[in-house]
Amino acid sequence: MALFLHYLSLPYLLEGIEVTLQVTALGLIGGLMMGVILASMQLSRFAVLAGFARGYSVIFRGTPLILQMVFVYDALPHIGIKLPAVLAAGVALAANEAPFISEILRAGVLGVDRGQVLAGQALGMTPGVLMSRVIAPQAIRTMIPAFGAEAVSALKNSSLASVIAVQELTLRSTQLASSTFDFFSIFFASGLIYLGLTGAIAVIQLVVEAWLDLDRASSQKRLMRLLPWHRFQPQDEPLEAAEDRFDDAGVAELPPPRPKLDLIDHARRAEMLRRNNVAVGVEGLRKRYDKHVVLDGVEMTVRIGEVVALLGPSGSGKSTLLRCINHIEGWEAGSIRVGGRRLGFGDAGKKLSPRELANERAEVGVGMVFQQFNLFGHLTAKENIAGPLRWVHGWSRSDADRRAFGLLERVGLSRRADALPRHLSGGQQQRVAIARAIAPNPSVLLLDEPTSALDPELVNEVLEVIRRLAIEDGLTMIISTHQLRFAEEVADRVVLLSGGTIVEEGPAREVLARPKTTVAQRFLSAMAEE
């Protein structure tokens, strides 16, 4: 035992630990830098870059690390590149780690919910902002366990540096055992040292996971404040005022509506809307997925302040039309103008780059509410609203927070300002999504089946929020919905699609009460029976 402890503390072995850590650090840091580049190339829109990155990955994942180390140390000098043994080992390890780290990074990015990416695009986030504020913060947390495992693997793989005479821990253990012939005690001591090092990596991994766990209410939030996606804590409001908005069950209630007329002169309103400028103009829009035509020559005009309800069976093209208006989807023919601007194209008719298109979305002001809410999962309700105002529109933190809290109060969720989306009900999440969409005061609000993902008992609370926006704020809205009664109450006009074409449109009450076409009659009859 005494001899074992002697080997465990022998300076000759301890010096080998330092070299092992140097090689491992060089491999991980270099591998991370190269991995980021490879992952970016594979995720890019350029096929040549993606192909080069995949080819590199195939080569370096398919050949043994020991051969790569020999190549870097012995072959590169033939072309004039002579590296010290430790540096050569670190370079070879980095080149070997890069494709594995690249796949970890790529998996993390692709693992972020696609709906959140679409929501970021709809809010006008450029690709850089979307990556740094939405994708990366969520991907990093999911990648920590894989990074921890890869760090342990790199530490153990550093032992292969002994093949090029790097005096790391394994080589020194072998040399010591060869001179003393006490193989068991020396390699057992070496194994314990490796176990201690890998155990330290495991501890660091657990600490980082705890620091990045948004569900932990601890003093470690001090670290979170240093990160761009930190959970901002709202100021506490007076308890009496907060309790007034909650019923006995603790469910948030919508604030009382503003005074409004119960009876609307629809003819007078229709005449007023006809005098307004065009907010959205769709001309000859054609869109297909492969050979399936989704939109076939759609023509539609929506005027400022008008509320249009899109009706039609599933697959009729309602959602696709809304996504085309916001240019989340491209199309084959036709044009779309929002506020007189041809969205997605420059003055010469050239398609805008993703960054230019994002800036145009923010300038034109087209808000969008999705079926599945698409809230950013790592941000609180308040940050879901305030964050895009800061990152896209340049608002100050105080102004953005004030706007966010005011909108949450308006939709009855001020007490849930610091709740993560997964801690909210479906109806609450959709109300936050609506608040986020109207926060920058958009010129047009698109709502894609805003109640289809909700339980029946939660539908009314969301419809009430939309109803108030339409009646009280006079927002220009295009709503895809199956709620016929809601469409009749709120919409000025109904547009009924079937098979990618508009089969009937007109004043909401007239179309819903007396449809003219057979397709409309059949659809409305079927919806009325549900």
Side-chain angles (χ1 to χ4, degrees):
M1 187 64 173
L3 187 59
F4 167 73
L5 294 176
H6 168 71
Y7 290 137
L8 196 61
S9 59
L10 193 66
Y12 187 73
L13 291 183
L14 296 180
E15 290 171 2
I17 296 175
E18 181 180 353
V19 177
T20 294
L21 293 177
Q22 289 176 357
V23 174
T24 302
L26 286 171
L28 287 176
I29 294 173
L32 180 60
M33 295 171 62
M34 295 174 63
V36 170
I37 295 173
L38 290 175
S40 300
M41 292 170 67
Q42 291 195 65
L43 293 170
S44 73
R45 295 175 293 135
F46 303 103
V48 174
L49 292 179
F52 177 84
R54 292 191 181 98
Y56 177 95
S57 297
V58 169
I59 292 172
F60 278 83
R61 286 192 300 179
T63 55
L65 175 58
I66 192 170
L67 295 182
Q68 296 165 15
M69 286 194 174
V70 170
F71 176 84
V72 172
Y73 187 67
D74 291 332
L76 290 185
H78 292 288
I79 60 173
I81 302 175
K82 176 63 177 177
L83 301 177
V86 172
L87 182 57
V91 169
L93 184 59
N96 183 267
E97 286 292 320
F100 295 98
I101 293 177
S102 168
E103 291 302 288
I104 293 173
L105 293 170
R106 198 165 66 93
V109 169
L110 295 177
V112 175
D113 179 36
R114 174 65 179 165
Q116 295 186 42
V117 176
L118 292 176
Q121 292 174 344
L123 289 165
M125 293 185 187
T126 62
V129 171
L130 193 57
M131 177 60 71
S132 63
R133 299 295 187 173
V134 176
I135 299 174
Q138 298 183 76
I140 285 173
R141 282 198 301 278
T142 63
M143 293 187 294
I144 293 301
F147 272 132
E150 196 60 33
V152 170
S153 177
L155 179 65
K156 293 189 296 184
N157 285 340
S158 67
S159 63
L160 295 176
S162 60
V163 74
I164 56 175
V166 174
Q167 292 290 318
E168 47 75 53
L169 179 60
T170 300
L171 180 58
R172 293 208 166 193
S173 299
T174 303
Q175 292 170 340
L176 188 61
S178 299
S179 62
T180 62
F181 297 100
D182 190 359
F183 289 91
F184 177 78
S185 298
I186 293 173
F187 280 109
F188 188 47
S190 176
L192 283 181
I193 293 173
Y194 271 111
L195 185 60
L197 294 176
T198 56
I201 293 175
V203 170
I204 293 172
Q205 174 188 328
L206 292 175
V207 170
V208 173
E209 287 180 7
W211 279 348
L212 298 179
D213 185 357
L214 296 179
D215 291 315
R216 286 174 62 92
S218 69
S219 60
Q220 291 163 350
K221 286 183 181 178
R222 287 177 297 196
L223 174 67
M224 296 303 297
R225 294 193 185 98
L226 302 177
L227 304 178
W229 56 88
H230 79 274
R231 296 173 62 184
F232 183 77
Q233 298 293 328
Q235 295 181 347
D236 292 332
E237 59 179 334
L239 182 61
E240 296 82 0
E243 288 177 344
D244 287 343
R245 289 195 301 277
F246 279 70
D247 59 18
D248 293 338
V251 179
E253 293 294 326
L254 293 173
R258 301 173 190 172
K260 61 179 183 292
L261 296 175
D262 293 329
L263 299 176
I264 299 176
D265 188 335
H266 293 281
R268 186 173 180 180
R269 176 172 169 80
E271 180 61 31
M272 178 194 69
L273 290 173
R274 274 194 292 271
R275 293 196 297 266
N276 290 350
N277 292 330
V278 174
V280 178
V282 180
E283 299 178 0
L285 189 65
R286 288 183 57 84
K287 166 69 179 177
R288 70 171 184 268
Y289 295 111
D290 296 326
K291 296 182 180 180
H292 177 61
V293 177
V294 183
L295 298 174
D296 190 8
V298 172
E299 303 267 351
M300 185 176 72
T301 299
V302 180
R303 297 191 175 274
I304 294 175
E306 189 176 17
V307 179
V308 174
L310 297 180
L311 302 179
S314 298
S316 59
K318 304 187 299 298
S319 297
T320 302
L321 175 58
L322 292 180
R323 293 188 181 207
C324 287
I325 291 174
N326 207 13
H327 213 294
I328 292 176
E329 295 276 2
W331 55 88
E332 284 70 47
S335 66
I336 298 175
R337 294 185 181 273
V338 180
R341 295 176 61 171
R342 190 183 177 197
L343 196 61
F345 297 88
D347 295 334
K350 183 180 178 181
K351 287 186 177 181
L352 299 179
S353 68
R355 181 181 180 84
E356 292 170 334
L357 180 57
N359 291 330
E360 186 178 56
R361 285 195 191 101
E363 292 173 7
V364 172
V366 183
M368 189 160 186
V369 179
F370 297 85
Q371 297 182 38
Q372 302 297 332
F373 326 134
N374 292 353
L375 296 179
F376 305 132
H378 63 300
L379 298 178
T380 64
K382 187 174 183 179
E383 276 295 295
N384 260 279
I385 302 169
L389 292 177
R390 299 198 309 270
W391 310 327
V392 176
H393 301 279
W395 289 38
S396 67
R397 177 176 289 277
S398 59
D399 289 343
D401 290 337
R402 191 178 303 112
R403 172 67 169 164
F405 194 75
L407 287 171
L408 287 173
E409 191 169 33
R410 184 175 180 188
V411 299
L413 292 173
S414 59
R415 282 293 296 271
R416 304 291 286 158
D418 196 41
L420 292 170
R422 58 180 171 272
H423 299 153
L424 299 173
S425 70
Q428 290 172 333
Q429 290 186 59
Q430 193 63 294
R431 282 190 273 163
V432 173
I434 293 171
R436 181 180 65 180
I438 66 172
N441 296 312
S443 60
V444 178
L445 183 62
L446 311 176
L447 299 104
D448 184 12
E449 294 284 0
T451 61
S452 65
L454 300 178
D455 294 331
E457 63 271 17
L458 301 177
V459 169
N460 287 334
E461 68 182 55
V462 173
L463 292 181
E464 178 60 23
V465 170
I466 300 172
R467 183 182 290 109
R468 295 179 187 209
L469 291 174
I471 296 175
E472 299 173 9
D473 291 28
L475 269 175
T476 304
M477 291 187 185
I478 306 177
I479 310 171
S480 169
T481 182
H482 283 96
Q483 302 288 332
L484 298 185
R485 180 176 297 180
F486 171 74
E488 183 179 6
E489 292 178 0
V490 174
D492 298 297
R493 189 156 51 94
V494 161
V495 174
L496 201 149
L497 287 88
S498 180
T501 61
I502 296 176
V503 296
E504 187 165 346
E505 65 176 313
R509 295 195 173 189
E510 291 183 15
V511 172
L512 295 175
R514 295 178 296 278
K516 298 176 182 178
T517 64
T518 304
V519 175
Q521 293 170 0
R522 189 162 50 244
F523 170 75
L524 294 175
S525 176
M527 292 299 300
E529 294 175 358
E530 292 185 0

